[in-house]
Amino acid sequence: MSESNKMSGANRAILIAAFVLLAAAVGYAVWRDSVRSTIPPAVEGGAAPSDQLAELEARTKREPDSAEAWTALGAAHFDLGDFGGAAAAYEKAVALSPESAGLWSALGEARVMGSNSDPMPAAALEAFNKAIALDAKDPRARYFLAVKKDIGGDHKGAIEDWFSLLADTPQGAPWEADLRRTIEQVGQIHKIDVTTRLANTQARPLTANEMPVAARAIPGPSRADMEAASQLPKGQQDAMIEGMVSGLEAKLKANPADVDRWIMLMRSRMTLGETAKAAQALKDGIAANPAAAGRLKAQAQLLGVPGA
């Protein structure tokens, strides 16, 4: 009997919904309600998805050796539900950047989502195993490998792995709530009591490198500022946000050694859904501050910046 037949369609649907939520929260599969995050500045705005894809495809032709270009194309295909196209692009990306655990796990996810029969194709499992070999802490690969256990009938083992992932999850990480929900749902499906353990399990404290910059030393907007901004029309809000981000970029041009501002720029881009620009900010920040590469990458991973 194939593994795909070992669980009901309803259970599979619940699992799919759960890990789609998690992967989206982790940020590697990026904001699925829009492809704006992967669009170069020249084509942002009112372009149709087909035009956006055409520009991204044109970029890969101009820059065939750019893992970032292929990653952006893969993310755009994934956002549009074209998982086969996403997998093909991610395959190009990992060939160019084979040491990126995040790219391997993104490829694995695309292969899972593109499979109509097997909930964990062998090619997807291979990609997740490569991600884990590169980074044993890769959260998405760990998550999907636990899904593999659950599909294979080892429900308790899967739940144990998810609890282990939860224990390694930094406080406030964007995937924490969805991971807890997955544990709860799978426990309910298979009549495994996880309620007390979930209630008693706390995410680990943030390390210094993981502590969000805005919470550590850089002042943010006051409550009054936020309330005032919320009353503005959407167009004015967008203009305000763009002005703030442009101001950050201008300050970084004047002082590229300001590591905190690079982190703030990544955070701003991720908040706007501009993940390709966030990835570029990480790249530029490391180029300007090679001694701070570890800190920049740690912050980028917390924010869910692709390729961090």
Side-chain angles (χ1 to χ4, degrees):
M1 179 181 293
S2 70
E3 289 179 347
S4 60
N5 292 327
K6 290 183 179 177
M7 64 177 178
S8 70
N11 285 3
R12 184 176 186 275
I14 290 172
L15 277 178
I16 289 288
F19 64 60
V20 168
L21 280 172
L22 176 73
V26 170
Y28 292 111
V30 300
W31 307 73
R32 302 208 166 112
D33 59 348
S34 170
V35 297
R36 182 184 177 196
S37 62
T38 61
I39 302 166
V43 296
E44 283 187 354
S50 58
D51 295 333
Q52 297 166 352
L53 277 177
E55 172 56 30
L56 291 171
E57 288 169 351
R59 181 186 173 192
T60 61
K61 291 177 181 177
R62 294 192 304 270
E63 306 172 35
D65 296 327
S66 168
E68 181 186 349
W70 287 107
T71 300
L73 181 60
H77 277 296
F78 197 106
D79 289 342
L80 292 174
D82 178 10
F83 305 121
Y90 283 136
E91 285 165 4
K92 295 282 190 180
V94 296
L96 293 164
S97 185
E99 301 305 310
S100 171
L103 280 179
W104 279 109
S105 61
L107 172 59
E109 183 192 28
R111 287 172 171 171
V112 166
M113 298 303 294
S115 174
N116 293 322
S117 56
D118 189 345
M120 185 61 66
L125 183 61
E126 179 185 13
F128 293 132
N129 283 331
K130 286 185 177 179
I132 286 293
L134 290 165
D135 180 4
K137 295 294 186 181
D138 183 274
R140 181 166 48 183
R142 291 172 69 186
Y143 180 85
F144 277 95
L145 289 174
V147 169
K148 167 69 173 175
K149 283 189 178 181
D150 188 66
I151 292 169
D154 185 6
H155 312 303
K156 289 184 178 180
I159 287 175
E160 286 300 319
D161 287 353
W162 285 321
F163 268 116
S164 178
L165 175 56
L166 182 59
D168 287 340
T169 294
Q171 289 177 357
W175 65 89
E176 181 183 353
D178 292 308
L179 179 55
R180 288 178 176 274
R181 187 177 302 115
T182 298
I183 294 170
E184 182 178 19
Q185 288 176 336
V186 175
Q188 288 175 348
I189 291 169
H190 300 293
K191 303 187 186 308
I192 299 170
D193 185 9
V194 298
T195 304
T196 301
R197 189 173 174 188
L198 269 177
N200 292 334
T201 301
Q202 301 296 322
R204 66 169 172 76
L206 294 171
T207 66
N209 276 345
E210 291 169 338
M211 184 72 71
V213 167
R216 202 172 56 231
I218 298 177
S222 67
R223 180 178 294 273
D225 291 336
M226 294 172 67
E227 290 178 352
S230 69
Q231 302 302 315
L232 294 173
K234 184 180 183 302
Q236 291 183 33
Q237 290 180 19
D238 291 344
M240 175 184 290
I241 292 168
E242 184 57 38
M244 292 170 66
V245 175
S246 296
L248 265 178
E249 290 181 325
K251 289 181 173 69
L252 284 167
K253 286 182 180 178
N255 180 19
D258 191 332
V259 175
D260 281 349
R261 281 204 167 93
W262 283 112
I263 296 168
M264 291 178 70
L265 180 59
M266 288 191 290
R267 181 183 298 278
S268 299
R269 291 303 187 193
M270 291 301 294
T271 300
L272 292 170
E274 297 172 350
T275 55
K277 289 184 178 181
Q280 186 62 47
L282 172 61
K283 181 179 178 181
D284 293 343
I286 290 174
N289 303 275
R295 182 175 167 221
L296 285 162
K297 287 181 179 179
Q299 290 285 321
Q301 287 169 356
L302 184 64
L303 294 168
V305 176

